[in-house]
mmCIF file of all heavy atoms in Angstrom:
data_model
loop_
_atom_site.group_PDB
_atom_site.id
_atom_site.type_symbol
_atom_site.label_atom_id
_atom_site.label_comp_id
_atom_site.label_asym_id
_atom_site.label_seq_id
_atom_site.Cartn_x
_atom_site.Cartn_y
_atom_site.Cartn_z
ATOM 1 N N SER A 100 159.765 236.477 20.126
ATOM 2 C CA SER A 100 159.923 235.034 19.848
ATOM 3 C C SER A 100 160.348 234.803 18.408
ATOM 4 O O SER A 100 161.155 233.909 18.125
ATOM 5 C CB SER A 100 158.613 234.295 20.146
ATOM 6 O OG SER A 100 157.553 234.786 19.352
ATOM 7 N N GLY A 101 159.823 235.605 17.493
ATOM 8 C CA GLY A 101 160.201 235.458 16.080
ATOM 9 C C GLY A 101 161.663 235.787 15.844
ATOM 10 O O GLY A 101 162.345 235.119 15.054
ATOM 11 N N TYR A 102 162.171 236.824 16.554
ATOM 12 C CA TYR A 102 163.578 237.177 16.424
ATOM 13 C C TYR A 102 164.456 236.042 16.947
ATOM 14 O O TYR A 102 165.434 235.680 16.290
ATOM 15 C CB TYR A 102 163.860 238.472 17.202
ATOM 16 C CG TYR A 102 165.298 238.918 17.105
ATOM 17 C CD1 TYR A 102 165.724 239.724 16.070
ATOM 18 C CD2 TYR A 102 166.243 238.506 18.064
ATOM 19 C CE1 TYR A 102 167.062 240.123 15.966
ATOM 20 C CE2 TYR A 102 167.571 238.897 17.968
ATOM 21 C CZ TYR A 102 167.977 239.688 16.925
ATOM 22 O OH TYR A 102 169.287 240.073 16.826
ATOM 23 N N LEU A 103 164.107 235.497 18.080
ATOM 24 C CA LEU A 103 164.876 234.380 18.622
ATOM 25 C C LEU A 103 164.879 233.191 17.671
ATOM 26 O O LEU A 103 165.900 232.538 17.481
ATOM 27 C CB LEU A 103 164.306 233.957 19.982
ATOM 28 C CG LEU A 103 164.556 234.912 21.149
ATOM 29 C CD1 LEU A 103 163.737 234.471 22.374
ATOM 30 C CD2 LEU A 103 166.052 234.955 21.519
ATOM 31 N N ALA A 104 163.726 232.930 17.058
ATOM 32 C CA ALA A 104 163.614 231.793 16.163
ATOM 33 C C ALA A 104 164.506 231.958 14.943
ATOM 34 O O ALA A 104 165.111 230.995 14.455
ATOM 35 C CB ALA A 104 162.159 231.591 15.742
ATOM 36 N N SER A 105 164.602 233.180 14.417
ATOM 37 C CA SER A 105 165.361 233.419 13.185
ATOM 38 C C SER A 105 166.852 233.704 13.460
ATOM 39 O O SER A 105 167.615 233.837 12.503
ATOM 40 C CB SER A 105 164.748 234.580 12.413
ATOM 41 O OG SER A 105 164.727 235.758 13.184
ATOM 42 N N HIS A 106 167.226 233.804 14.737
ATOM 43 C CA HIS A 106 168.626 234.069 15.068
ATOM 44 C C HIS A 106 169.203 233.013 16.009
ATOM 45 O O HIS A 106 170.048 233.282 16.851
ATOM 46 C CB HIS A 106 168.764 235.477 15.699
ATOM 47 C CG HIS A 106 168.527 236.570 14.721
ATOM 48 N ND1 HIS A 106 167.256 236.978 14.352
ATOM 49 C CD2 HIS A 106 169.392 237.361 14.022
ATOM 50 C CE1 HIS A 106 167.355 237.977 13.475
ATOM 51 N NE2 HIS A 106 168.619 238.220 13.252
ATOM 52 N N ASP A 107 168.720 231.782 15.871
ATOM 53 C CA ASP A 107 169.262 230.621 16.603
ATOM 54 C C ASP A 107 169.236 230.811 18.120
ATOM 55 O O ASP A 107 170.168 230.409 18.828
ATOM 56 C CB ASP A 107 170.707 230.336 16.155
ATOM 57 C CG ASP A 107 170.805 230.036 14.670
ATOM 58 O OD1 ASP A 107 169.932 229.339 14.152
ATOM 59 O OD2 ASP A 107 171.757 230.521 14.006
ATOM 60 N N GLY A 108 168.144 231.390 18.613
ATOM 61 C CA GLY A 108 168.038 231.611 20.045
ATOM 62 C C GLY A 108 167.163 230.630 20.781
ATOM 63 O O GLY A 108 167.097 230.644 22.027
ATOM 64 N N ILE A 109 166.479 229.743 20.062
ATOM 65 C CA ILE A 109 165.532 228.828 20.709
ATOM 66 C C ILE A 109 166.237 227.580 21.252
ATOM 67 O O ILE A 109 166.022 227.185 22.412
ATOM 68 C CB ILE A 109 164.416 228.399 19.742
ATOM 69 C CG1 ILE A 109 163.628 229.630 19.269
ATOM 70 C CG2 ILE A 109 163.482 227.396 20.403
ATOM 71 C CD1 ILE A 109 162.993 230.423 20.413
ATOM 72 N N LYS A 110 167.110 226.973 20.458
ATOM 73 C CA LYS A 110 167.791 225.760 20.931
ATOM 74 C C LYS A 110 168.630 226.023 22.189
ATOM 75 O O LYS A 110 168.609 225.192 23.108
ATOM 76 C CB LYS A 110 168.669 225.152 19.844
ATOM 77 C CG LYS A 110 169.135 223.715 20.172
ATOM 78 C CD LYS A 110 169.817 223.065 19.006
ATOM 79 C CE LYS A 110 170.071 221.578 19.267
ATOM 80 N NZ LYS A 110 170.743 221.282 20.536
ATOM 81 N N PRO A 111 169.330 227.158 22.280
ATOM 82 C CA PRO A 111 170.022 227.423 23.541
ATOM 83 C C PRO A 111 169.100 227.463 24.741
ATOM 84 O O PRO A 111 169.484 227.036 25.838
ATOM 85 C CB PRO A 111 170.688 228.783 23.296
ATOM 86 C CG PRO A 111 170.876 228.865 21.829
ATOM 87 C CD PRO A 111 169.671 228.162 21.249
ATOM 88 N N LEU A 112 167.891 227.977 24.563
ATOM 89 C CA LEU A 112 166.923 227.996 25.670
ATOM 90 C C LEU A 112 166.481 226.586 26.043
ATOM 91 O O LEU A 112 166.343 226.263 27.227
ATOM 92 C CB LEU A 112 165.711 228.844 25.278
ATOM 93 C CG LEU A 112 165.929 230.363 25.242
ATOM 94 C CD1 LEU A 112 164.732 231.058 24.616
ATOM 95 C CD2 LEU A 112 166.171 230.902 26.647
ATOM 96 N N VAL A 113 166.300 225.745 25.046
ATOM 97 C CA VAL A 113 165.960 224.336 25.337
ATOM 98 C C VAL A 113 167.112 223.659 26.052
ATOM 99 O O VAL A 113 166.911 222.847 26.961
ATOM 100 C CB VAL A 113 165.589 223.575 24.049
ATOM 101 C CG1 VAL A 113 165.329 222.106 24.333
ATOM 102 C CG2 VAL A 113 164.350 224.194 23.394
ATOM 103 N N ASN A 114 168.338 223.985 25.656
ATOM 104 C CA ASN A 114 169.507 223.421 26.318
ATOM 105 C C ASN A 114 169.581 223.867 27.776
ATOM 106 O O ASN A 114 169.965 223.071 28.658
ATOM 107 C CB ASN A 114 170.782 223.832 25.604
ATOM 108 C CG ASN A 114 170.921 223.167 24.245
ATOM 109 O OD1 ASN A 114 170.302 222.151 23.966
ATOM 110 N ND2 ASN A 114 171.745 223.760 23.382
ATOM 111 N N ILE A 115 169.216 225.110 28.041
ATOM 112 C CA ILE A 115 169.165 225.609 29.418
ATOM 113 C C ILE A 115 168.131 224.812 30.198
ATOM 114 O O ILE A 115 168.380 224.385 31.326
ATOM 115 C CB ILE A 115 168.824 227.109 29.450
ATOM 116 C CG1 ILE A 115 169.986 227.926 28.907
ATOM 117 C CG2 ILE A 115 168.509 227.551 30.888
ATOM 118 C CD1 ILE A 115 169.678 229.386 28.691
ATOM 119 N N MET A 116 166.956 224.592 29.585
ATOM 120 C CA MET A 116 165.927 223.808 30.262
ATOM 121 C C MET A 116 166.438 222.415 30.575
ATOM 122 O O MET A 116 166.235 221.898 31.686
ATOM 123 C CB MET A 116 164.663 223.716 29.396
ATOM 124 C CG MET A 116 163.577 222.849 30.014
ATOM 125 S SD MET A 116 162.092 222.649 28.995
ATOM 126 C CE MET A 116 162.734 221.627 27.651
ATOM 127 N N ALA A 117 167.083 221.778 29.599
ATOM 128 C CA ALA A 117 167.599 220.416 29.806
ATOM 129 C C ALA A 117 168.575 220.368 30.977
ATOM 130 O O ALA A 117 168.541 219.438 31.796
ATOM 131 C CB ALA A 117 168.252 219.919 28.520
ATOM 132 N N TYR A 118 169.463 221.362 31.049
ATOM 133 C CA TYR A 118 170.454 221.387 32.141
ATOM 134 C C TYR A 118 169.758 221.611 33.481
ATOM 135 O O TYR A 118 170.077 220.936 34.478
ATOM 136 C CB TYR A 118 171.467 222.487 31.875
ATOM 137 C CG TYR A 118 172.538 222.577 32.942
ATOM 138 C CD1 TYR A 118 173.645 221.725 32.896
ATOM 139 C CD2 TYR A 118 172.432 223.453 34.010
ATOM 140 C CE1 TYR A 118 174.636 221.794 33.866
ATOM 141 C CE2 TYR A 118 173.403 223.510 35.004
ATOM 142 C CZ TYR A 118 174.504 222.693 34.922
ATOM 143 O OH TYR A 118 175.455 222.737 35.890
ATOM 144 N N GLN A 119 168.816 222.532 33.524
ATOM 145 C CA GLN A 119 168.115 222.823 34.762
ATOM 146 C C GLN A 119 167.255 221.631 35.207
ATOM 147 O O GLN A 119 167.154 221.315 36.407
ATOM 148 C CB GLN A 119 167.257 224.075 34.626
ATOM 149 C CG GLN A 119 168.025 225.356 34.324
ATOM 150 C CD GLN A 119 169.049 225.706 35.386
ATOM 151 O OE1 GLN A 119 170.228 225.418 35.228
ATOM 152 N NE2 GLN A 119 168.604 226.307 36.458
ATOM 153 N N LEU A 120 166.676 220.938 34.245
ATOM 154 C CA LEU A 120 165.909 219.744 34.577
ATOM 155 C C LEU A 120 166.801 218.678 35.221
ATOM 156 O O LEU A 120 166.408 218.025 36.180
ATOM 157 C CB LEU A 120 165.251 219.169 33.311
ATOM 158 C CG LEU A 120 164.074 219.940 32.729
ATOM 159 C CD1 LEU A 120 163.624 219.296 31.415
ATOM 160 C CD2 LEU A 120 162.894 220.008 33.704
ATOM 161 N N SER A 121 167.988 218.523 34.659
ATOM 162 C CA SER A 121 168.906 217.538 35.219
ATOM 163 C C SER A 121 169.304 217.920 36.644
ATOM 164 O O SER A 121 169.421 217.068 37.533
ATOM 165 C CB SER A 121 170.174 217.435 34.358
ATOM 166 O OG SER A 121 169.861 216.881 33.093
ATOM 167 N N THR A 122 169.503 219.211 36.877
ATOM 168 C CA THR A 122 169.847 219.687 38.213
ATOM 169 C C THR A 122 168.784 219.277 39.227
ATOM 170 O O THR A 122 169.088 218.827 40.344
ATOM 171 C CB THR A 122 170.020 221.212 38.220
ATOM 172 O OG1 THR A 122 171.075 221.559 37.327
ATOM 173 C CG2 THR A 122 170.343 221.716 39.620
ATOM 174 N N VAL A 123 167.532 219.422 38.844
ATOM 175 C CA VAL A 123 166.418 219.151 39.773
ATOM 176 C C VAL A 123 166.057 217.679 39.796
ATOM 177 O O VAL A 123 165.917 217.090 40.885
ATOM 178 C CB VAL A 123 165.198 220.015 39.393
ATOM 179 C CG1 VAL A 123 163.968 219.597 40.216
ATOM 180 C CG2 VAL A 123 165.502 221.483 39.614
ATOM 181 N N VAL A 124 165.875 217.068 38.643
ATOM 182 C CA VAL A 124 165.357 215.691 38.584
ATOM 183 C C VAL A 124 166.428 214.653 38.882
ATOM 184 O O VAL A 124 166.174 213.662 39.572
ATOM 185 C CB VAL A 124 164.731 215.418 37.206
ATOM 186 C CG1 VAL A 124 164.261 213.980 37.110
ATOM 187 C CG2 VAL A 124 163.554 216.381 36.969
ATOM 188 N N VAL A 125 167.644 214.854 38.377
ATOM 189 C CA VAL A 125 168.710 213.858 38.537
ATOM 190 C C VAL A 125 169.471 214.058 39.836
ATOM 191 O O VAL A 125 169.677 213.150 40.637
ATOM 192 C CB VAL A 125 169.669 213.880 37.325
ATOM 193 C CG1 VAL A 125 170.771 212.861 37.545
ATOM 194 C CG2 VAL A 125 168.894 213.593 36.046
ATOM 195 N N GLU A 126 169.879 215.315 40.093
ATOM 196 C CA GLU A 126 170.654 215.586 41.308
ATOM 197 C C GLU A 126 169.758 215.685 42.527
ATOM 198 O O GLU A 126 170.226 215.525 43.647
ATOM 199 C CB GLU A 126 171.441 216.893 41.116
ATOM 200 C CG GLU A 126 172.474 216.795 40.007
ATOM 201 C CD GLU A 126 173.250 218.088 39.829
ATOM 202 O OE1 GLU A 126 173.225 218.919 40.747
ATOM 203 O OE2 GLU A 126 173.892 218.262 38.779
ATOM 204 N N ARG A 127 168.457 215.948 42.300
ATOM 205 C CA ARG A 127 167.471 215.950 43.384
ATOM 206 C C ARG A 127 167.886 216.812 44.549
ATOM 207 O O ARG A 127 168.358 216.322 45.585
ATOM 208 C CB ARG A 127 167.193 214.517 43.867
ATOM 209 C CG ARG A 127 166.580 213.639 42.814
ATOM 210 C CD ARG A 127 165.228 214.139 42.325
ATOM 211 N NE ARG A 127 164.245 214.173 43.393
ATOM 212 C CZ ARG A 127 163.438 213.150 43.694
ATOM 213 N NH1 ARG A 127 163.514 212.042 43.002
ATOM 214 N NH2 ARG A 127 162.564 213.260 44.663
ATOM 215 N N THR A 128 167.711 218.116 44.425
ATOM 216 C CA THR A 128 168.055 219.027 45.519
ATOM 217 C C THR A 128 167.190 218.785 46.740
ATOM 218 O O THR A 128 167.575 219.160 47.854
ATOM 219 C CB THR A 128 167.895 220.497 45.075
ATOM 220 O OG1 THR A 128 166.511 220.710 44.747
ATOM 221 C CG2 THR A 128 168.748 220.792 43.863
#
Side-chain angles (χ1 to χ4, degrees):
S100 59
Y102 181 87
L103 287 171
S105 59
H106 290 80
D107 300 320
I109 300 301
K110 194 172 189 308
L112 287 170
V113 176
N114 290 340
I115 291 171
M116 177 182 70
Y118 181 83
Q119 298 301 98
L120 288 175
S121 293
T122 298
V123 172
V124 176
V125 178
E126 297 180 17
R127 296 299 298 270
T128 63

